[in-house]
């Protein structure tokens, strides 16, 4: 039987504010347990939460960047349930009146564009962290994360494969990071994803029973977990068994999803409007102001790079995958005026050094100025491309500008015709046998002479000039 | 009767409360009386009127994103029924 996969993703992204969503406690990761807490986020009786304006602005930025419609009036609700990581007994979230709805993003699947719908984006608070004791019947609670601002991005069930799911997540992640409203750190939980998955025989209209997947903390794991879950569901259906609607946890080490085995009772969150928080009213002026503050988004930047710098789509994709890298590249281009060469050096040597050293472009010892100077030195003929390969490596390790390295190592390219003619003459005199063979028709020996010249000049001879002179002087 | 004893049992379970049969019957009657009283509001025609969630017509009460000192771990844990080190301690929960 042929099956179709239906996937819908829910993404939680932590907003990069200094303080929590309803109080002035720090949002910093890694503080001493329970040190970033106050009566508001601890859920003490009688306190009043007050909304952090920056959270609204950041959430609006994401809503506009993903083509959502912002609701002119939206409000908060209480989602009621008991769990030790939730001190108030309810989570403040948005339910009936979310911030924004009806958006979409484009994903690129092998050059084909596909639109993935976004149902809604709403603001909410995060819960605390639980640590379970392996040996004793206790759990430990750290409430630093309680009240940290999140947006939840609920996607439409438009995704048809695990690859599409990974692609969609990468696009969302890229936009959030470009907007500088989320650090995108998946390991620390700043960007988390839950997935709803079901399968149905091709041609069937109704959705099959879905399962919800949790605990996937990398793009790769999302894809692996979905691949596993699709196979598991197909196996069940093909063997006449039924799929149970449940939450399943991805186990990375095991490479499988496991049922959470919670009591199979539907949750009843009894949402109701939170009387502590007033409505958020967003007028056109505010939306315009936020829209105008949006930076150039990844897709637009990619298209501009292709158009403006005449570089291939692949190069543009690599260079814009990271906003800081795109900025670096544009600096180099601005300083040397040679987009294609700049792209080759940035994508080739610079990225290779950075990957090897597990460094970020922000920590790159080669400044944009230095790389641009080096490209200009090649263009002017001061150094050859081959020499530049060694120079750029020195630049990376020492952080010095190319001019210093060239001076210190005496690396200036030999472009003096008279000097090279002398050298070539000596080489020809020293190799009469090869000369005779070459003149006798063994043209391959031309390479031998080039090698000898390069050896004698320690690679400093201008290759073009060497070729020209050799051709002339070896001719019978 | 708007509410049955089963409804009372369900709500009690959601609130993690346990009642005797006598209490359940008593609360069923009391909750019904409250609902019947509230029903009176249904006599008014509210067609076309947006639901109200606040008694006062205030919107956009915001706070600036400026950090202020927290309570600190010691004060935070001071009234906890059980704590260990820098953590609250609770009976083990695995969902």
């Amino acid at each position: 039987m042929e099956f179709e996969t239906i996937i819908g993703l829910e993404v939680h992204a932590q907003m990069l504010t200094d303080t929590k969503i309803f109080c002035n406690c720090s949002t910093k990761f890694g503080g001493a347990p329970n040190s970033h807490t106050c009566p508001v986020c601890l859920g003490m009786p009688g306190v009043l939460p007050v909304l952090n304006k920056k959270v609204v602005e950041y959430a609006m930025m994401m809503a506009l960047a993903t083509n959502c419609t912002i609701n002119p009036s939206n409000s908060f609700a209480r989602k009621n349930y008991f769990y030790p990581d939730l001190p108030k007994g309810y989570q403040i979230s948005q339910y009936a009146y979310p911030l924004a709805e009806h958006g979409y993003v484009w994903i690129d699947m092998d050059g084909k564009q596909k639109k993935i719908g976004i149902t809604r984006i709403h603001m909410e608070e995060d819960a605390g962290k639980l640590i379970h004791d392996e040996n004793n019947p206790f759990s430990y609670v750290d409430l630093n994360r309680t009240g940290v601002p999140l947006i939840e991005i609920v996607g439409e069930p438009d995704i048809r494969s695990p690859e599409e799911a990974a692609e969609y997540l990468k696009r969302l992640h890229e936009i959030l990071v470009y907007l500088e409203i989320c650090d995108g750190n998946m390991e620390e939980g700043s960007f988390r994803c839950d997935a709803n998955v079901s399968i149905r025989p091709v041609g069937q209209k109704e959705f099959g029973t879905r399962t919800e997947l949790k605990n996937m903390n990398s793009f790769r794991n999302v894809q692996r977990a979905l691949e596993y879950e699709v196979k598991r569901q197909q196996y069940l259906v093909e063997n006449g068994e039924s799929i149970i609607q449940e939450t399943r946890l991805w186990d990375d080490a095991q490479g499988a999803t496991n049922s959470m085995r919670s009591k199979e009772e539907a949750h009843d969150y009894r949402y109701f409007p939170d009387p502590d928080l007033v409505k958020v009213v967003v007028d056109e002026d505010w939306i315009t102001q936020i829209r105008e503050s949006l930076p150039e988004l990844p897709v637009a930047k990619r298209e501009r790079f292709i158009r403006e710098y005449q570089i291939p789509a692949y190069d543009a994709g690599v260079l814009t995958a990271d906003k800081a890298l795109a900025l670096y590249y544009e600096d180099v281009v601005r300083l040397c005026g040679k987009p294609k060469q700049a792209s080759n050096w940035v994508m080739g040597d610079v990225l290779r050094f950075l990957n090897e050293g597990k460094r970020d472009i922000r920590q790159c010892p080669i400044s944009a100025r230095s790389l641009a100077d080096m490209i200009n030195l090649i263009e002017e003929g001061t150094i050859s491309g081959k020499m530049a390969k060694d120079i750029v490596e020195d630049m990376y390790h020492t952080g010095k500008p190319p001019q210093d390295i060239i001076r210190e190592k005496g690396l200036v390219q030999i472009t003096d015709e008279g000097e090279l003619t002398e050298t070539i003459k000596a080489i020809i005199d020293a190799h009469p046998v090869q000369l005779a063979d070459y003149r006798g028709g063994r043209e391959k020996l031309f390479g031998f002479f080039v090698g000898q010249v390069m050896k004698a000049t320690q690679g400093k001879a201008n290759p073009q000039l060497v070729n020209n002179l050799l051709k002339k002087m070896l001719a019978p | 009767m708007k509410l049955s004893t089963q409804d009372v049992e369900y709500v009690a379970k959601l609130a993690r409360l346990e009642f005797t049969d006598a209490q359940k019957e008593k609360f069923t009657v009391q909750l019904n009386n409250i609902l019947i009283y509230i029903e009176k509001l249904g006599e008014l025609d509210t067609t076309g009127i947006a639901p109200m969630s606040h008694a006062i017509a205030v919107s956009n009460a915001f706070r600036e994103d400026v950090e202020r000192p927290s309570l600190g771990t010691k004060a935070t844990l001071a009234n906890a029924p059980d704590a260990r080190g820098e953590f609250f301690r609770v009976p083990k929960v695995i969902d």
Side-chain angles (χ1 to χ4, degrees):
Chain A
M1 210 189 295
E2 283 258 12
F3 291 100
E4 184 180 30
T5 303
I6 314 287
I7 299 168
L9 298 179
E10 288 168 14
V11 169
H12 284 92
Q14 182 181 329
M15 296 291 93
L16 210 50
T17 55
D18 292 334
T19 66
K20 294 186 178 183
I21 183 166
F22 300 121
C23 66
N24 298 79
C25 287
S26 167
T27 52
K28 265 192 213 78
F29 184 82
N34 293 302
S35 62
H36 300 163
T37 52
C38 75
V40 173
C41 56
L42 290 170
M44 298 290 182
V47 297
L48 200 60
V50 183
L51 182 58
N52 184 339
K53 190 176 184 185
K54 200 162 243 175
V55 176
V56 186
E57 289 170 345
Y58 282 1
M60 280 168 67
M61 287 171 80
M62 188 56 183
L64 293 175
T66 53
N67 312 293
C68 288
T69 306
I70 291 179
N71 288 325
S73 173
N74 60 91
S75 58
F76 288 90
R78 293 184 180 181
K79 178 181 181 178
N80 300 279
Y81 64 94
F82 289 118
Y83 213 65
D85 64 7
L86 190 72
K88 296 192 297 297
Y90 58 85
Q91 179 196 26
I92 305 177
S93 181
Q94 294 194 297
Y95 186 61
Y97 308 99
L99 177 81
E101 293 171 283
H102 314 304
Y104 60 86
V105 290
W106 291 101
I107 60 167
D108 185 306
M109 297 306 293
D110 303 319
K112 261 190 167 163
Q113 300 288 309
K114 180 173 173 177
K115 198 179 191 175
I116 306 293
I118 289 171
T119 315
R120 55 188 273 152
I121 295 181
H122 69 250
M123 301 174 276
E124 62 183 29
E125 58 178 348
D126 206 347
K129 193 172 91 182
L130 283 170
I131 298 157
H132 304 296
D133 193 320
E134 294 284 318
N135 310 307
N136 300 295
F138 295 114
S139 293
Y140 299 93
V141 191
D142 175 5
L143 297 179
N144 282 350
R145 212 176 57 192
T146 310
V148 160
L150 302 177
I151 55 170
E152 181 172 341
I153 305 161
V154 183
E156 290 286 307
D158 290 342
I159 296 168
R160 291 291 171 272
S161 70
E163 295 77 36
E164 284 185 16
E167 193 58 29
Y168 167 76
L169 283 181
K170 281 180 196 158
R171 292 289 83 79
L172 284 188
H173 185 270
E174 189 177 66
I175 296 170
L176 286 162
V177 174
Y178 256 75
L179 292 174
E180 294 173 12
I181 58 172
C182 173
D183 68 17
N185 190 324
M186 291 181 89
E187 272 158 28
E188 289 176 8
S190 310
F191 183 88
R192 316 196 277 267
C193 165
D194 299 336
N196 288 306
V197 200
S198 66
I199 56 165
R200 65 180 171 196
V202 170
Q204 183 181 305
K205 272 249 168 74
E206 312 83 66
F207 289 128
T209 305
R210 65 187 161 91
T211 55
E212 186 180 3
L213 304 187
K214 286 180 183 285
N215 200 37
M216 306 163 290
N217 61 356
S218 69
F219 294 122
R220 192 168 151 270
N221 279 345
V222 170
Q223 193 170 333
R224 285 173 70 206
L226 285 167
E227 279 163 2
Y228 175 88
E229 184 59 17
V230 168
K231 272 193 204 135
R232 191 189 70 89
Q233 292 191 7
Q234 284 185 3
Y235 177 85
L236 287 176
V237 172
E238 279 167 348
N239 288 277
E241 292 177 56
S242 55
I243 296 159
I244 302 163
Q245 184 169 345
E246 60 179 355
T247 301
R248 300 179 66 86
L249 289 184
W250 168 249
D251 183 322
D252 190 21
Q254 215 188 334
T257 64
N258 296 307
S259 172
M260 279 177 78
R261 291 183 215 293
S262 56
K263 282 160 272 164
E264 289 309 324
E265 62 181 45
H267 285 288
D268 183 349
Y269 292 124
R270 291 150 292 142
Y271 283 97
F272 66 89
D274 192 323
D276 286 344
L277 288 151
V278 298
K279 277 193 294 192
V280 179
V281 174
V282 184
D283 60 17
E284 277 305 318
D285 284 353
W286 197 5
I287 293 176
T288 306
Q289 193 190 323
I290 297 290
R291 199 187 291 282
E292 283 168 0
S293 78
L294 292 184
E296 183 179 36
L297 292 169
V299 173
K301 199 181 279 288
R302 209 159 291 153
E303 283 165 4
R304 181 170 62 79
F305 274 28
I306 296 170
R307 196 176 59 238
E308 202 168 298
Y309 301 132
Q310 306 275 308
I311 55 174
Y314 175 80
D315 296 26
V318 173
L319 293 168
T320 56
D322 174 358
K323 192 177 177 179
L325 183 67
L327 199 70
Y328 179 85
Y329 169 72
E330 289 210 274
D331 280 344
V332 177
V333 174
R334 190 168 42 77
L335 294 165
C336 75
K338 297 178 186 66
K340 184 60 201 163
Q341 284 88 330
S343 160
N344 287 344
W345 284 102
V346 172
M347 286 177 51
D349 298 72
V350 173
L351 275 188
R352 183 164 52 82
F353 296 145
L354 292 172
N355 287 340
E356 281 167 6
K358 297 208 180 342
R359 275 173 159 169
D360 191 69
I361 187 71
R362 289 173 203 81
Q363 304 155 305
C364 184
I366 305 175
S367 69
R369 170 93 259 169
S370 288
L371 192 64
D373 284 352
M374 196 200 71
I375 292 167
N376 282 332
L377 289 167
I378 301 169
E379 289 299 310
E380 291 158 8
T382 311
I383 53 172
S384 67
K386 193 174 174 306
M387 290 159 81
K389 283 270 176 197
D390 296 329
I391 294 169
V392 79
E393 191 155 0
D394 278 354
M395 285 160 69
Y396 183 78
H397 293 299
T398 62
K400 287 180 185 169
Q403 295 88 340
D404 287 8
I405 291 165
I406 290 166
R407 192 170 50 245
E408 282 165 22
K409 299 206 161 177
L411 285 175
V412 177
Q413 186 168 237
I414 303 166
T415 49
D416 184 278
E417 211 175 310
E419 189 185 338
L420 271 180
T421 307
E422 285 301 308
T423 311
I424 292 171
K425 201 161 174 296
I427 288 167
I428 291 175
D429 289 346
H431 299 89
V433 181
Q434 284 86 346
L435 179 69
D437 281 359
Y438 176 79
R439 287 184 173 162
R442 278 190 67 194
E443 287 181 17
K444 266 202 293 187
L445 280 168
F446 188 77
F448 165 81
F449 285 103
V450 173
Q452 290 300 314
V453 178
M454 284 303 174
K455 198 172 152 195
T457 57
Q458 289 159 319
K460 288 187 251 173
N462 178 315
Q464 198 53 50
L465 190 57
V466 171
N467 275 341
N468 292 343
L469 290 175
L470 268 177
K471 265 186 200 138
K472 219 185 308 169
M473 294 167 70
L474 288 174
Chain B
M1 291 289 244
K2 313 273 318 167
L3 274 177
S4 66
T5 311
Q6 280 79 30
D7 291 322
V8 173
E9 282 171 349
Y10 177 66
V11 174
K13 193 179 163 201
L14 286 174
R16 307 291 188 273
L17 295 172
E18 278 178 34
F19 296 130
T20 62
D21 286 347
Q23 282 173 316
K24 281 178 202 165
E25 268 176 48
K26 187 177 168 190
F27 293 143
T28 306
V29 174
Q30 288 185 344
L31 283 171
N32 268 303
N33 286 339
I34 293 168
L35 285 178
I36 290 162
Y37 182 67
I38 296 291
E39 266 304 87
K40 271 183 184 290
L41 291 174
E43 290 168 15
L44 288 173
D45 182 7
T46 53
T47 331
I49 298 171
M52 186 176 100
S53 54
H54 293 92
I56 44 167
V58 174
S59 61
N60 294 359
F62 294 127
R63 187 174 59 71
E64 292 306 313
D65 186 33
V66 179
E67 193 181 324
R68 283 219 292 265
S70 294
L71 274 184
T73 307
K74 210 175 149 206
T76 293
L77 298 176
N79 293 326
D82 192 9
R84 180 61 60 95
E86 296 171 302
F87 294 94
F88 292 94
R89 189 165 76 164
V90 297
K92 194 167 193 167
V93 277
I94 304 265
D95 199 30

